[in-house]
Amino acid sequence: YYRSAVGTLLYLVKHSRPDIANAVRELAKTMDRAMQASMKELKRVLKYVLDTRNYGLRIEPMRLLKAWHVLMFCDSDYAGDKETRISVTGFILYLCGVSVSWKSKGQKSVTLSSSEAEFYAISEAVKEIRFVYQVLLTMGVQVELPIEVRVDNEGAIYMAENRPTTTRTKHIDIRTKYLDEFVEDDFVKIIFV
């Protein structure tokens, strides 16, 4: 029952329910060892889904725009996983005001500061922006540039805009170089929220 219910929730997250992404990610971590607490949490999420079943993503027809507006919000929690101290990256991408892409995923490595965790989240968000941008270009859609990436950590914004390569930040130098391309070319603009 537990695996089937979590699988159903994963389907919902992928197709229409970004609001439960983080809770379902946590449930999926206990697939092999679901205990009473996991079942209680699963029931809580299922109740929330049922109570909000009339909510949804709203896509309304709008006048044809010359260039489409893309907006990204991203965030991370610093060392949020109590067992591994891995931070979780989350982002949501809006296209003309409609959420079209979202993610909540544990980062691949432990970060040493909240700024580094947020910077990692920015680089993951920019990878998604780049993909969506390429899809839109292939479809012949013009996109407003620069694309705004809204972040709530001033240290991460500074790192994204100022190429910090010191002994304290050398371990994230590759992500810095990756992000530099897009910031310098005015493809993305990192904004404090």
Side-chain angles (χ1 to χ4, degrees):
Y1 169 77
Y2 185 82
R3 284 176 178 246
S4 177
V6 172
T8 301
L9 290 173
L10 284 167
Y11 178 84
L12 287 176
V13 167
K14 182 172 183 173
H15 295 286
S16 64
R17 295 298 299 258
D19 55 328
I20 61 171
N22 199 49
V24 174
R25 183 188 59 76
E26 287 293 324
L27 290 171
K29 289 184 346 186
T30 61
M31 290 278 238
D32 292 338
R33 54 186 180 356
M35 302 232 214
Q36 193 66 23
S38 302
M39 288 300 287
K40 185 177 178 183
E41 182 65 19
L42 173 65
K43 288 177 183 175
R44 188 182 71 79
V45 174
L46 288 172
K47 182 182 180 324
Y48 172 79
V49 169
L50 289 173
D51 290 347
T52 59
R53 67 181 167 268
N54 294 326
Y55 293 11
L57 301 176
R58 187 179 198 149
I59 303 174
E60 296 179 348
M62 51 191 298
R63 59 183 170 77
L64 197 56
L65 300 172
K66 192 172 196 174
W68 288 18
H69 180 72
V70 178
L71 175 63
M72 174 70 84
F73 288 90
C74 71
D75 197 11
S76 86
D77 70 340
Y78 173 56
D81 188 313
K82 291 183 175 151
E83 292 176 26
T84 63
R85 289 303 177 194
I86 296 283
S87 301
V88 176
T89 291
F91 63 73
I92 188 162
L93 184 134
Y94 291 91
L95 183 59
C96 296
V98 177
S99 55
V100 295
S101 178
W102 50 84
K103 180 186 266 187
S104 173
K105 184 177 180 182
Q107 296 178 355
K108 294 186 192 296
S109 61
V110 176
T111 54
L112 302 176
S113 69
S114 60
S115 292
E116 183 183 342
E118 293 277 352
F119 183 78
Y120 187 99
I122 294 170
S123 66
E124 290 297 309
V126 169
K127 285 197 292 191
E128 184 69 11
I129 289 171
R130 186 175 175 201
F131 171 75
V132 170
Y133 179 75
Q134 291 298 324
V135 169
L136 292 173
L137 285 183
T138 303
M139 294 172 26
V141 175
Q142 290 182 353
V143 176
E144 280 181 27
L145 294 178
I147 296 169
E148 289 183 11
V149 179
R150 298 196 180 166
V151 185
D152 66 351
N153 186 295
E154 291 178 344
I157 294 169
Y158 181 83
M159 289 167 65
E161 293 176 343
N162 294 297
R163 293 188 193 214
T165 306
T166 66
T167 55
R168 299 177 85 182
T169 59
K170 194 176 262 184
H171 56 286
I172 55 171
D173 191 45
I174 293 170
R175 285 191 182 275
T176 304
K177 300 258 186 275
Y178 174 80
L179 203 51
D180 275 352
E181 282 183 42
F182 301 107
V183 172
E184 285 179 2
D185 293 343
D186 285 330
F187 179 73
V188 295
K189 182 177 183 176
I190 316 295
I191 297 173
F192 181 72
V193 181

PDB file of all heavy atoms in Angstrom, residues 74 118-128 175-176 178-179:
ATOM      1  N   CYS A  74      14.201  30.208  -6.783  1.00  0.00           N
ATOM      2  CA  CYS A  74      14.918  29.039  -6.275  1.00  0.00           C
ATOM      3  C   CYS A  74      15.333  29.275  -4.826  1.00  0.00           C
ATOM      4  O   CYS A  74      15.470  30.413  -4.388  1.00  0.00           O
ATOM      5  CB  CYS A  74      16.110  28.680  -7.151  1.00  0.00           C
ATOM      6  SG  CYS A  74      17.495  29.787  -7.088  1.00  0.00           S
ATOM      7  N   GLU A 118      22.760  27.750  -1.425  1.00  0.00           N
ATOM      8  CA  GLU A 118      21.923  28.579  -2.300  1.00  0.00           C
ATOM      9  C   GLU A 118      22.564  28.736  -3.677  1.00  0.00           C
ATOM     10  O   GLU A 118      21.872  28.728  -4.693  1.00  0.00           O
ATOM     11  CB  GLU A 118      21.702  29.957  -1.673  1.00  0.00           C
ATOM     12  CG  GLU A 118      20.882  29.942  -0.420  1.00  0.00           C
ATOM     13  CD  GLU A 118      19.382  29.934  -0.658  1.00  0.00           C
ATOM     14  OE1 GLU A 118      18.939  30.087  -1.811  1.00  0.00           O
ATOM     15  OE2 GLU A 118      18.653  29.774   0.332  1.00  0.00           O
ATOM     16  N   PHE A 119      23.879  28.886  -3.711  1.00  0.00           N
ATOM     17  CA  PHE A 119      24.581  29.004  -4.981  1.00  0.00           C
ATOM     18  C   PHE A 119      24.400  27.735  -5.810  1.00  0.00           C
ATOM     19  O   PHE A 119      24.178  27.792  -7.016  1.00  0.00           O
ATOM     20  CB  PHE A 119      26.070  29.283  -4.734  1.00  0.00           C
ATOM     21  CG  PHE A 119      26.852  29.489  -5.995  1.00  0.00           C
ATOM     22  CD1 PHE A 119      26.784  30.691  -6.667  1.00  0.00           C
ATOM     23  CD2 PHE A 119      27.631  28.474  -6.512  1.00  0.00           C
ATOM     24  CE1 PHE A 119      27.498  30.887  -7.840  1.00  0.00           C
ATOM     25  CE2 PHE A 119      28.340  28.656  -7.683  1.00  0.00           C
ATOM     26  CZ  PHE A 119      28.272  29.861  -8.349  1.00  0.00           C
ATOM     27  N   TYR A 120      24.490  26.589  -5.164  1.00  0.00           N
ATOM     28  CA  TYR A 120      24.249  25.306  -5.819  1.00  0.00           C
ATOM     29  C   TYR A 120      22.836  25.290  -6.401  1.00  0.00           C
ATOM     30  O   TYR A 120      22.619  24.867  -7.541  1.00  0.00           O
ATOM     31  CB  TYR A 120      24.435  24.175  -4.806  1.00  0.00           C
ATOM     32  CG  TYR A 120      24.388  22.793  -5.388  1.00  0.00           C
ATOM     33  CD1 TYR A 120      25.549  22.092  -5.661  1.00  0.00           C
ATOM     34  CD2 TYR A 120      23.176  22.164  -5.643  1.00  0.00           C
ATOM     35  CE1 TYR A 120      25.514  20.812  -6.184  1.00  0.00           C
ATOM     36  CE2 TYR A 120      23.126  20.889  -6.169  1.00  0.00           C
ATOM     37  CZ  TYR A 120      24.289  20.213  -6.438  1.00  0.00           C
ATOM     38  OH  TYR A 120      24.237  18.954  -6.965  1.00  0.00           O
ATOM     39  N   ALA A 121      21.854  25.780  -5.626  1.00  0.00           N
ATOM     40  CA  ALA A 121      20.471  25.836  -6.097  1.00  0.00           C
ATOM     41  C   ALA A 121      20.335  26.748  -7.310  1.00  0.00           C
ATOM     42  O   ALA A 121      19.618  26.418  -8.266  1.00  0.00           O
ATOM     43  CB  ALA A 121      19.549  26.314  -4.968  1.00  0.00           C
ATOM     44  N   ILE A 122      21.035  27.885  -7.296  1.00  0.00           N
ATOM     45  CA  ILE A 122      20.994  28.793  -8.447  1.00  0.00           C
ATOM     46  C   ILE A 122      21.530  28.089  -9.688  1.00  0.00           C
ATOM     47  O   ILE A 122      20.932  28.165 -10.768  1.00  0.00           O
ATOM     48  CB  ILE A 122      21.802  30.080  -8.186  1.00  0.00           C
ATOM     49  CG1 ILE A 122      21.153  30.911  -7.086  1.00  0.00           C
ATOM     50  CG2 ILE A 122      21.927  30.911  -9.457  1.00  0.00           C
ATOM     51  CD1 ILE A 122      22.017  32.073  -6.598  1.00  0.00           C
ATOM     52  N   SER A 123      22.647  27.383  -9.558  1.00  0.00           N
ATOM     53  CA  SER A 123      23.229  26.732 -10.737  1.00  0.00           C
ATOM     54  C   SER A 123      22.306  25.635 -11.268  1.00  0.00           C
ATOM     55  O   SER A 123      22.177  25.455 -12.479  1.00  0.00           O
ATOM     56  CB  SER A 123      24.630  26.187 -10.435  1.00  0.00           C
ATOM     57  OG  SER A 123      24.584  25.152  -9.495  1.00  0.00           O
ATOM     58  N   GLU A 124      21.611  24.915 -10.383  1.00  0.00           N
ATOM     59  CA  GLU A 124      20.640  23.905 -10.826  1.00  0.00           C
ATOM     60  C   GLU A 124      19.460  24.579 -11.533  1.00  0.00           C
ATOM     61  O   GLU A 124      18.968  24.090 -12.542  1.00  0.00           O
ATOM     62  CB  GLU A 124      20.145  23.068  -9.647  1.00  0.00           C
ATOM     63  CG  GLU A 124      21.191  22.131  -9.085  1.00  0.00           C
ATOM     64  CD  GLU A 124      21.638  21.076 -10.086  1.00  0.00           C
ATOM     65  OE1 GLU A 124      20.782  20.395 -10.682  1.00  0.00           O
ATOM     66  OE2 GLU A 124      22.866  20.954 -10.284  1.00  0.00           O
ATOM     67  N   ALA A 125      19.008  25.706 -10.998  1.00  0.00           N
ATOM     68  CA  ALA A 125      17.896  26.435 -11.603  1.00  0.00           C
ATOM     69  C   ALA A 125      18.276  26.954 -12.987  1.00  0.00           C
ATOM     70  O   ALA A 125      17.479  26.885 -13.921  1.00  0.00           O
ATOM     71  CB  ALA A 125      17.471  27.594 -10.695  1.00  0.00           C
ATOM     72  N   VAL A 126      19.496  27.454 -13.133  1.00  0.00           N
ATOM     73  CA  VAL A 126      19.946  27.975 -14.421  1.00  0.00           C
ATOM     74  C   VAL A 126      20.053  26.848 -15.458  1.00  0.00           C
ATOM     75  O   VAL A 126      19.758  27.052 -16.634  1.00  0.00           O
ATOM     76  CB  VAL A 126      21.271  28.765 -14.277  1.00  0.00           C
ATOM     77  CG1 VAL A 126      21.881  29.088 -15.629  1.00  0.00           C
ATOM     78  CG2 VAL A 126      21.012  30.048 -13.499  1.00  0.00           C
ATOM     79  N   LYS A 127      20.421  25.654 -15.026  1.00  0.00           N
ATOM     80  CA  LYS A 127      20.424  24.512 -15.955  1.00  0.00           C
ATOM     81  C   LYS A 127      19.016  24.260 -16.489  1.00  0.00           C
ATOM     82  O   LYS A 127      18.836  24.008 -17.683  1.00  0.00           O
ATOM     83  CB  LYS A 127      20.963  23.243 -15.278  1.00  0.00           C
ATOM     84  CG  LYS A 127      22.463  23.249 -15.104  1.00  0.00           C
ATOM     85  CD  LYS A 127      23.034  21.882 -14.832  1.00  0.00           C
ATOM     86  CE  LYS A 127      22.667  21.320 -13.514  1.00  0.00           C
ATOM     87  NZ  LYS A 127      23.412  20.111 -13.135  1.00  0.00           N
ATOM     88  N   GLU A 128      18.025  24.352 -15.617  1.00  0.00           N
ATOM     89  CA  GLU A 128      16.638  24.146 -16.047  1.00  0.00           C
ATOM     90  C   GLU A 128      16.180  25.279 -16.965  1.00  0.00           C
ATOM     91  O   GLU A 128      15.509  25.036 -17.972  1.00  0.00           O
ATOM     92  CB  GLU A 128      15.723  24.046 -14.830  1.00  0.00           C
ATOM     93  CG  GLU A 128      14.283  23.748 -15.164  1.00  0.00           C
ATOM     94  CD  GLU A 128      14.043  22.352 -15.705  1.00  0.00           C
ATOM     95  OE1 GLU A 128      14.950  21.493 -15.646  1.00  0.00           O
ATOM     96  OE2 GLU A 128      12.930  22.095 -16.199  1.00  0.00           O
ATOM     97  N   ARG A 175      31.111  25.338 -10.789  1.00  0.00           N
ATOM     98  CA  ARG A 175      29.754  25.901 -10.863  1.00  0.00           C
ATOM     99  C   ARG A 175      29.816  27.413 -11.086  1.00  0.00           C
ATOM    100  O   ARG A 175      28.977  27.976 -11.768  1.00  0.00           O
ATOM    101  CB  ARG A 175      28.970  25.592  -9.594  1.00  0.00           C
ATOM    102  CG  ARG A 175      28.528  24.170  -9.526  1.00  0.00           C
ATOM    103  CD  ARG A 175      27.541  23.930  -8.399  1.00  0.00           C
ATOM    104  NE  ARG A 175      27.199  22.538  -8.364  1.00  0.00           N
ATOM    105  CZ  ARG A 175      26.256  21.982  -9.105  1.00  0.00           C
ATOM    106  NH1 ARG A 175      25.555  22.718  -9.933  1.00  0.00           N
ATOM    107  NH2 ARG A 175      25.998  20.701  -9.020  1.00  0.00           N
ATOM    108  N   THR A 176      30.810  28.065 -10.495  1.00  0.00           N
ATOM    109  CA  THR A 176      30.975  29.504 -10.681  1.00  0.00           C
ATOM    110  C   THR A 176      31.229  29.827 -12.141  1.00  0.00           C
ATOM    111  O   THR A 176      30.603  30.718 -12.708  1.00  0.00           O
ATOM    112  CB  THR A 176      32.146  30.031  -9.815  1.00  0.00           C
ATOM    113  OG1 THR A 176      31.916  29.679  -8.462  1.00  0.00           O
ATOM    114  CG2 THR A 176      32.296  31.519  -9.936  1.00  0.00           C
ATOM    115  N   TYR A 178      30.471  28.009 -14.724  1.00  0.00           N
ATOM    116  CA  TYR A 178      29.261  27.687 -15.478  1.00  0.00           C
ATOM    117  C   TYR A 178      28.260  28.841 -15.404  1.00  0.00           C
ATOM    118  O   TYR A 178      27.726  29.292 -16.410  1.00  0.00           O
ATOM    119  CB  TYR A 178      28.636  26.394 -14.918  1.00  0.00           C
ATOM    120  CG  TYR A 178      27.307  26.042 -15.524  1.00  0.00           C
ATOM    121  CD1 TYR A 178      27.236  25.427 -16.766  1.00  0.00           C
ATOM    122  CD2 TYR A 178      26.116  26.323 -14.868  1.00  0.00           C
ATOM    123  CE1 TYR A 178      26.012  25.109 -17.332  1.00  0.00           C
ATOM    124  CE2 TYR A 178      24.900  25.999 -15.423  1.00  0.00           C
ATOM    125  CZ  TYR A 178      24.850  25.389 -16.659  1.00  0.00           C
ATOM    126  OH  TYR A 178      23.645  25.082 -17.216  1.00  0.00           O
ATOM    127  N   LEU A 179      28.032  29.340 -14.200  1.00  0.00           N
ATOM    128  CA  LEU A 179      27.055  30.401 -14.001  1.00  0.00           C
ATOM    129  C   LEU A 179      27.532  31.734 -14.579  1.00  0.00           C
ATOM    130  O   LEU A 179      26.729  32.518 -15.089  1.00  0.00           O
ATOM    131  CB  LEU A 179      26.768  30.533 -12.503  1.00  0.00           C
ATOM    132  CG  LEU A 179      25.467  31.151 -12.081  1.00  0.00           C
ATOM    133  CD1 LEU A 179      24.288  30.517 -12.778  1.00  0.00           C
ATOM    134  CD2 LEU A 179      25.316  31.040 -10.582  1.00  0.00           C
TER     135      LEU A 179
END
